[in-house]
Amino acid sequence: MRIVVTGGAGFIGSHLVDALLTRPSSDVLVVDNLSRGRRSNLSGNDGDPRLSVTVGDIRDPATVDRALRDAEVVYHLAAQSNVMGAVSDPRYSFETNVAGTFNVLESAARHGVRRVVFASSREAYGEPASLPVTEEAPLSAKNTYGASKAAAELYCRTFASVFGLETAVLRFANVYGPRDFDRVIPIWLARALAGEPLEVFGGEQVIDFVWVGLVVEALQRAADASIVGVPVNVGGGVGTPIRALAERILAATGSRSTLTVSPARHAEVSRFVADVGRMRDLLGLAPPSDPLEYLPRLAPAPAVRTA
């Protein structure tokens, strides 16, 4: 089976590629412009003849069209995936997340791709009226990143209904794990290990964290599950107060760093917890009771303090 992973050199995408290549019958083509992705994320598969990498941009229709020829399944993860980055450069966010997704869907329909699995985001919901958030909640994005994901979802739905292209939409909560950077957990881990203050904007956030391994399993199951036209939240289903996250990171690293509070950034959603009922029922996946149970894997063991 020929599989295409857009954004396959990125944080989530590279873990997905690792998992896909454990299947003996899979050939995987990665398409990534390496703006956030890193070629080194795929180094564990160097020499595997079933993996090929195209350094290219999904904003270019010709690049996408060449990549999707003869593909059976496309995992579409390529995106401007940083909220504040999308705020500072909304045009790039639109061109990548909306127009780029259109290019993927158009080529997939043209080449008879069986299914496109689209990585959406909890940011599409905006600031929720109540918690936990079900998939029936309105999409009311608070920032340009969330708006781009909501628009891309609508194109997925339209291509399914008008052109018969199977599209599966997964809405990710805050994913964490190895190879991530420039988000709260890797930033705070680095600062804690350096003995620097952990800066939080606002200080009252409640965040739903989900381990990258669970997300990768959800992506693989979404290629065959009966979820066309039925978006599915992929999260931990538990809200972690941001101050509790700081305490867990300090414990995991043995750091004496302090927590400093800066004014909230208006573009950021302050509270989110996913309802994961569909994830359990339609994908057969249940998150652990402690969504941060894998956090110690990301930090060296704290030093033993002596008197």
Side-chain angles (χ1 to χ4, degrees), residues 18 33 67 105 136 154 160 163 170 212 223 226 233 256 294 301:
D18 288 345
N33 67 2
L105 295 170
E136 300 304 320
L154 187 56
F163 301 107
L170 302 181
V212 67
S226 299
N233 290 333
R256 297 180 184 271
Y294 299 105

Side-chain angles (χ1 to χ4, degrees), residues 61-281:
T63 295
V64 174
D65 203 60
R66 287 192 297 270
L68 268 59
R69 191 174 293 120
D70 300 323
E72 180 177 342
V73 174
V74 175
Y75 293 98
H76 179 35
L77 281 74
Q80 195 328 358
S81 58
N82 180 278
V83 169
M84 298 311 296
V87 171
S88 63
D89 192 350
R91 177 167 294 278
Y92 178 73
S93 178
F94 171 80
E95 291 174 350
T96 301
N97 297 2
V98 183
T101 297
F102 178 87
N103 291 338
V104 169
L105 295 170
E106 183 181 45
S107 291
R110 177 184 302 119
H111 291 302
V113 170
R114 177 174 66 80
R115 181 171 293 193
V116 174
V117 179
F118 174 61
S120 188
S121 168
R122 60 100 169 183
E123 292 288 344
Y125 292 114
E127 202 73 67
S130 61
L131 301 177
V133 181
T134 74
E135 291 87 350
E136 300 304 320
L139 301 187
S140 183
K142 186 178 181 179
N143 53 57
T144 48
Y145 172 63
S148 70
K149 286 296 188 178
E153 279 197 32
L154 187 56
Y155 272 107
C156 287
R157 191 178 312 136
T158 300
F159 267 81
S161 62
V162 175
F163 301 107
L165 173 65
E166 291 187 7
T167 58
V169 172
L170 302 181
R171 294 173 182 158
F172 298 156
N174 286 62
V175 187
Y176 76 102
R179 305 175 194 162
D180 192 19
F181 68 98
D182 200 27
R183 277 185 276 261
V184 63
I185 287 180
I187 289 173
W188 279 9
L189 282 169
R191 293 184 71 85
L193 290 168
E196 299 171 349
L198 311 186
E199 183 181 21
V200 60
F201 296 91
E204 304 303 322
Q205 295 95 322
V206 175
I207 303 175
D208 185 321
F209 289 104
V210 58
W211 178 247
V212 67
L214 184 69
V215 171
V216 165
E217 186 61 35
L219 283 162
Q220 293 180 92
R221 296 188 185 197
D224 298 296
S226 299
I227 60 170
V228 173
V230 183
V232 177
N233 290 333
V234 178
V238 176
T240 299
I242 195 71
R243 295 173 187 270
L245 172 64
E247 292 171 0
R248 294 286 293 270
I249 285 177
L250 295 178
T253 58
S255 174
R256 297 180 184 271
S257 294
T258 58
L259 182 69
T260 63
V261 180
S262 298
R265 298 187 289 200
H266 72 278
E268 293 183 326
V269 173
S270 63
R271 299 163 60 252
F272 181 81
V273 180
D275 183 307
V276 293
R278 281 189 186 175
M279 186 178 80
R280 296 176 192 271
D281 296 340

